[in-house]
Amino acid sequence: MALSETGHIAETGNKMHHEERIVIVGGGFGGLCFAAALHKVGLKAVVLEQSDKLRPQGTSITLWNNGMRILELFGLADQFRSMYLNVPGVEYLNQYGRRLAILDHSDCEGGPHEMRSVERKVLLEAIAGQVPQGTIRLNSRVTNIKQSETSPNVTNLELQDGSTYSAKVVVGFDGVNSVVASWLGLEKPKSTGQLEVRGMAEFHNGYNFPKLFRIFFGRTVRIGIIPMTATKVYWFVVWTDSSEGWRNITPEEIKQEVLQRTKDFQVPQFTLCVNNTSMETLIKNTLRHRINMKPTWETQVANNVTVCGDASHPTTPNLGQGGSMAFEDAIILARKLHQALKSKESQISKVSESERIHQALLDFHRERHGRTYALTNKAYMIGLSAIADTAIKCFIRDWFFIPRAVGRGNYMEPALFDVGNLPIDEEESHN
């Protein structure tokens, strides 16, 4: 099995059988963060990524205090603080540029606060650098999952190239179209009836508009602008549309659609951003979510298999917490598995290893369900409240809902979650 030049990625090009303790399906932010966290606590894992290279989905990810706290665990936070702006506040405006509400983050409870829009590619590569060589297996598309017929505590994974893996723990961090979630019988994420286009503008000589997170609301359309660096700006546009005929259109057609959808907005900065965006950074998606009404420990664990991140709790981007929730999942589940497999208590336990693993997965979901359910539901309700298709609905949203929803006491609440530390690997500490 040849290693890539980076030393961190192995390609599976031959039909082989691999026996592993922990297999992670999906090489996105959550899966790589989980592999890195397991490595720090002394547990080996492999990551099966279906693509031929690490592919960030989109251009930018927003990290608040809770996300930056997780980067601190890996010694990466200061690197990203030096590269990306700390956005000091948020401003809500109508499509004509009239202010509806403004909030300085320094006025919010629980500070000091951070909000940084960072490039997904840069973040993904930084996290990939935290795992040992050979951890990430590219071109590894999982096509089938089966419980072992000879050992009920082992799960077998079949890959598209004919290779197979058997594992004592399988965790799906494989996104909204999760193979693992499908195998568990979870309902597919549902469309919210809204589409989103995202892009990253680059101004080589800088730009002179406010360094705030600015959201503009129109009729069935809203746009957002978030400064990233002195020369880069992340932007998005969301509109109401239940169709999915967009999948085969070109980036240039996406750009023209964005300009057409936002033609009634008197926001020249947004038009500048669109016109200074490289076509390859444009991403168009249907916004999907799944609100897990039933407790996730009853539906998302089967023996030694579970899901995390968007595979477990796909959410709309209205709180900017999807990525950070996946990071939180990674750290907390790594802690649970360390307790089950590496702690002093586990070494003297009379409970079988498979039962300890199963209990760790259940405990993980018991701990996470309250937060992920609340944030997924809140994000959906914010998106629903932002929809206004008549003049009277726009008036109510702009002058009643938004001013009352932006409060110093609750705006930063989702970002105040502290994931805690990772346990020290006792074997490593003695070396």
PDB file of all heavy atoms in Angstrom, residues 201-209 211 229-233 276:
ATOM      1  N   ALA A 201     -14.578  36.038  -2.733  1.00  0.00           N
ATOM      2  CA  ALA A 201     -14.035  37.115  -3.565  1.00  0.00           C
ATOM      3  C   ALA A 201     -12.618  37.429  -3.133  1.00  0.00           C
ATOM      4  O   ALA A 201     -12.272  37.306  -1.957  1.00  0.00           O
ATOM      5  CB  ALA A 201     -14.915  38.361  -3.444  1.00  0.00           C
ATOM      6  N   GLU A 202     -11.825  37.835  -4.100  1.00  0.00           N
ATOM      7  CA  GLU A 202     -10.448  38.222  -3.784  1.00  0.00           C
ATOM      8  C   GLU A 202     -10.162  39.581  -4.405  1.00  0.00           C
ATOM      9  O   GLU A 202     -10.326  39.785  -5.611  1.00  0.00           O
ATOM     10  CB  GLU A 202      -9.462  37.173  -4.289  1.00  0.00           C
ATOM     11  CG  GLU A 202      -8.048  37.399  -3.807  1.00  0.00           C
ATOM     12  CD  GLU A 202      -7.180  36.159  -3.889  1.00  0.00           C
ATOM     13  OE1 GLU A 202      -7.652  35.133  -4.426  1.00  0.00           O
ATOM     14  OE2 GLU A 202      -6.025  36.226  -3.416  1.00  0.00           O
ATOM     15  N   PHE A 203      -9.737  40.520  -3.541  1.00  0.00           N
ATOM     16  CA  PHE A 203      -9.387  41.875  -3.961  1.00  0.00           C
ATOM     17  C   PHE A 203      -7.891  42.052  -3.702  1.00  0.00           C
ATOM     18  O   PHE A 203      -7.473  42.264  -2.556  1.00  0.00           O
ATOM     19  CB  PHE A 203     -10.187  42.901  -3.167  1.00  0.00           C
ATOM     20  CG  PHE A 203     -11.680  42.774  -3.311  1.00  0.00           C
ATOM     21  CD1 PHE A 203     -12.411  41.956  -2.455  1.00  0.00           C
ATOM     22  CD2 PHE A 203     -12.359  43.460  -4.304  1.00  0.00           C
ATOM     23  CE1 PHE A 203     -13.791  41.836  -2.571  1.00  0.00           C
ATOM     24  CE2 PHE A 203     -13.736  43.354  -4.432  1.00  0.00           C
ATOM     25  CZ  PHE A 203     -14.451  42.541  -3.575  1.00  0.00           C
ATOM     26  N   HIS A 204      -7.096  41.966  -4.746  1.00  0.00           N
ATOM     27  CA  HIS A 204      -5.644  41.950  -4.565  1.00  0.00           C
ATOM     28  C   HIS A 204      -5.123  43.249  -3.973  1.00  0.00           C
ATOM     29  O   HIS A 204      -4.071  43.255  -3.302  1.00  0.00           O
ATOM     30  CB  HIS A 204      -4.962  41.653  -5.903  1.00  0.00           C
ATOM     31  CG  HIS A 204      -5.297  40.293  -6.445  1.00  0.00           C
ATOM     32  ND1 HIS A 204      -4.837  39.127  -5.865  1.00  0.00           N
ATOM     33  CD2 HIS A 204      -6.079  39.917  -7.488  1.00  0.00           C
ATOM     34  CE1 HIS A 204      -5.296  38.084  -6.540  1.00  0.00           C
ATOM     35  NE2 HIS A 204      -6.058  38.528  -7.534  1.00  0.00           N
ATOM     36  N   ASN A 205      -5.844  44.347  -4.177  1.00  0.00           N
ATOM     37  CA  ASN A 205      -5.430  45.639  -3.605  1.00  0.00           C
ATOM     38  C   ASN A 205      -6.244  46.007  -2.374  1.00  0.00           C
ATOM     39  O   ASN A 205      -6.236  47.155  -1.943  1.00  0.00           O
ATOM     40  CB  ASN A 205      -5.558  46.730  -4.667  1.00  0.00           C
ATOM     41  CG  ASN A 205      -4.619  46.512  -5.840  1.00  0.00           C
ATOM     42  OD1 ASN A 205      -3.458  46.113  -5.636  1.00  0.00           O
ATOM     43  ND2 ASN A 205      -5.099  46.748  -7.053  1.00  0.00           N
ATOM     44  N   GLY A 206      -6.955  45.036  -1.815  1.00  0.00           N
ATOM     45  CA  GLY A 206      -7.769  45.281  -0.635  1.00  0.00           C
ATOM     46  C   GLY A 206      -9.144  45.802  -0.995  1.00  0.00           C
ATOM     47  O   GLY A 206      -9.465  46.040  -2.162  1.00  0.00           O
ATOM     48  N   TYR A 207      -9.980  45.982   0.001  1.00  0.00           N
ATOM     49  CA  TYR A 207     -11.338  46.485  -0.188  1.00  0.00           C
ATOM     50  C   TYR A 207     -11.628  47.469   0.934  1.00  0.00           C
ATOM     51  O   TYR A 207     -10.966  47.461   1.980  1.00  0.00           O
ATOM     52  CB  TYR A 207     -12.350  45.335  -0.178  1.00  0.00           C
ATOM     53  CG  TYR A 207     -12.252  44.436   1.043  1.00  0.00           C
ATOM     54  CD1 TYR A 207     -12.997  44.678   2.190  1.00  0.00           C
ATOM     55  CD2 TYR A 207     -11.390  43.339   1.048  1.00  0.00           C
ATOM     56  CE1 TYR A 207     -12.899  43.869   3.302  1.00  0.00           C
ATOM     57  CE2 TYR A 207     -11.287  42.511   2.160  1.00  0.00           C
ATOM     58  CZ  TYR A 207     -12.036  42.783   3.276  1.00  0.00           C
ATOM     59  OH  TYR A 207     -11.922  41.978   4.386  1.00  0.00           O
ATOM     60  N   ASN A 208     -12.616  48.327   0.720  1.00  0.00           N
ATOM     61  CA  ASN A 208     -12.834  49.405   1.686  1.00  0.00           C
ATOM     62  C   ASN A 208     -14.225  49.391   2.298  1.00  0.00           C
ATOM     63  O   ASN A 208     -14.708  50.418   2.766  1.00  0.00           O
ATOM     64  CB  ASN A 208     -12.568  50.772   1.032  1.00  0.00           C
ATOM     65  CG  ASN A 208     -13.482  51.024  -0.161  1.00  0.00           C
ATOM     66  OD1 ASN A 208     -14.369  50.227  -0.453  1.00  0.00           O
ATOM     67  ND2 ASN A 208     -13.250  52.138  -0.846  1.00  0.00           N
ATOM     68  N   PHE A 209     -14.905  48.218   2.305  1.00  0.00           N
ATOM     69  CA  PHE A 209     -16.189  48.194   2.989  1.00  0.00           C
ATOM     70  C   PHE A 209     -16.037  47.613   4.385  1.00  0.00           C
ATOM     71  O   PHE A 209     -14.989  47.066   4.736  1.00  0.00           O
ATOM     72  CB  PHE A 209     -17.273  47.468   2.171  1.00  0.00           C
ATOM     73  CG  PHE A 209     -16.851  46.243   1.434  1.00  0.00           C
ATOM     74  CD1 PHE A 209     -16.973  44.995   2.025  1.00  0.00           C
ATOM     75  CD2 PHE A 209     -16.358  46.320   0.146  1.00  0.00           C
ATOM     76  CE1 PHE A 209     -16.621  43.857   1.335  1.00  0.00           C
ATOM     77  CE2 PHE A 209     -15.995  45.182  -0.552  1.00  0.00           C
ATOM     78  CZ  PHE A 209     -16.123  43.953   0.037  1.00  0.00           C
ATOM     79  N   LYS A 211     -15.656  45.912   7.985  1.00  0.00           N
ATOM     80  CA  LYS A 211     -15.140  44.608   8.408  1.00  0.00           C
ATOM     81  C   LYS A 211     -16.115  43.939   9.368  1.00  0.00           C
ATOM     82  O   LYS A 211     -15.739  43.408  10.417  1.00  0.00           O
ATOM     83  CB  LYS A 211     -13.763  44.786   9.075  1.00  0.00           C
ATOM     84  CG  LYS A 211     -12.704  45.412   8.175  1.00  0.00           C
ATOM     85  CD  LYS A 211     -12.367  44.523   7.003  1.00  0.00           C
ATOM     86  CE  LYS A 211     -11.090  44.982   6.292  1.00  0.00           C
ATOM     87  NZ  LYS A 211     -11.191  46.290   5.658  1.00  0.00           N
ATOM     88  N   THR A 229      -9.882  38.026   5.205  1.00  0.00           N
ATOM     89  CA  THR A 229      -8.555  38.614   5.373  1.00  0.00           C
ATOM     90  C   THR A 229      -8.617  40.036   4.822  1.00  0.00           C
ATOM     91  O   THR A 229      -9.684  40.532   4.458  1.00  0.00           O
ATOM     92  CB  THR A 229      -7.487  37.810   4.613  1.00  0.00           C
ATOM     93  OG1 THR A 229      -7.680  38.001   3.192  1.00  0.00           O
ATOM     94  CG2 THR A 229      -7.573  36.319   4.930  1.00  0.00           C
ATOM     95  N   ALA A 230      -7.473  40.680   4.716  1.00  0.00           N
ATOM     96  CA  ALA A 230      -7.436  42.033   4.156  1.00  0.00           C
ATOM     97  C   ALA A 230      -7.745  42.035   2.667  1.00  0.00           C
ATOM     98  O   ALA A 230      -8.051  43.093   2.089  1.00  0.00           O
ATOM     99  CB  ALA A 230      -6.070  42.661   4.398  1.00  0.00           C
ATOM    100  N   THR A 231      -7.700  40.855   2.021  1.00  0.00           N
ATOM    101  CA  THR A 231      -7.932  40.795   0.577  1.00  0.00           C
ATOM    102  C   THR A 231      -9.022  39.806   0.173  1.00  0.00           C
ATOM    103  O   THR A 231      -9.423  39.779  -0.992  1.00  0.00           O
ATOM    104  CB  THR A 231      -6.638  40.396  -0.164  1.00  0.00           C
ATOM    105  OG1 THR A 231      -6.184  39.117   0.326  1.00  0.00           O
ATOM    106  CG2 THR A 231      -5.543  41.439   0.046  1.00  0.00           C
ATOM    107  N   LYS A 232      -9.531  38.998   1.095  1.00  0.00           N
ATOM    108  CA  LYS A 232     -10.508  37.971   0.749  1.00  0.00           C
ATOM    109  C   LYS A 232     -11.802  38.169   1.530  1.00  0.00           C
ATOM    110  O   LYS A 232     -11.774  38.526   2.720  1.00  0.00           O
ATOM    111  CB  LYS A 232      -9.951  36.575   1.025  1.00  0.00           C
ATOM    112  CG  LYS A 232      -8.762  36.226   0.134  1.00  0.00           C
ATOM    113  CD  LYS A 232      -8.205  34.845   0.461  1.00  0.00           C
ATOM    114  CE  LYS A 232      -7.027  34.517  -0.455  1.00  0.00           C
ATOM    115  NZ  LYS A 232      -6.446  33.191  -0.168  1.00  0.00           N
ATOM    116  N   VAL A 233     -12.927  37.916   0.850  1.00  0.00           N
ATOM    117  CA  VAL A 233     -14.242  38.089   1.448  1.00  0.00           C
ATOM    118  C   VAL A 233     -15.105  36.883   1.077  1.00  0.00           C
ATOM    119  O   VAL A 233     -15.188  36.496  -0.094  1.00  0.00           O
ATOM    120  CB  VAL A 233     -14.937  39.384   0.953  1.00  0.00           C
ATOM    121  CG1 VAL A 233     -16.338  39.507   1.550  1.00  0.00           C
ATOM    122  CG2 VAL A 233     -14.096  40.603   1.298  1.00  0.00           C
ATOM    123  N   ASN A 276     -15.702  39.689  -8.390  1.00  0.00           N
ATOM    124  CA  ASN A 276     -14.299  39.425  -8.078  1.00  0.00           C
ATOM    125  C   ASN A 276     -14.107  38.023  -7.516  1.00  0.00           C
ATOM    126  O   ASN A 276     -13.152  37.758  -6.785  1.00  0.00           O
ATOM    127  CB  ASN A 276     -13.767  40.464  -7.083  1.00  0.00           C
ATOM    128  CG  ASN A 276     -13.455  41.791  -7.744  1.00  0.00           C
ATOM    129  OD1 ASN A 276     -12.357  41.990  -8.270  1.00  0.00           O
ATOM    130  ND2 ASN A 276     -14.421  42.695  -7.747  1.00  0.00           N
TER     131      ASN A 276
END
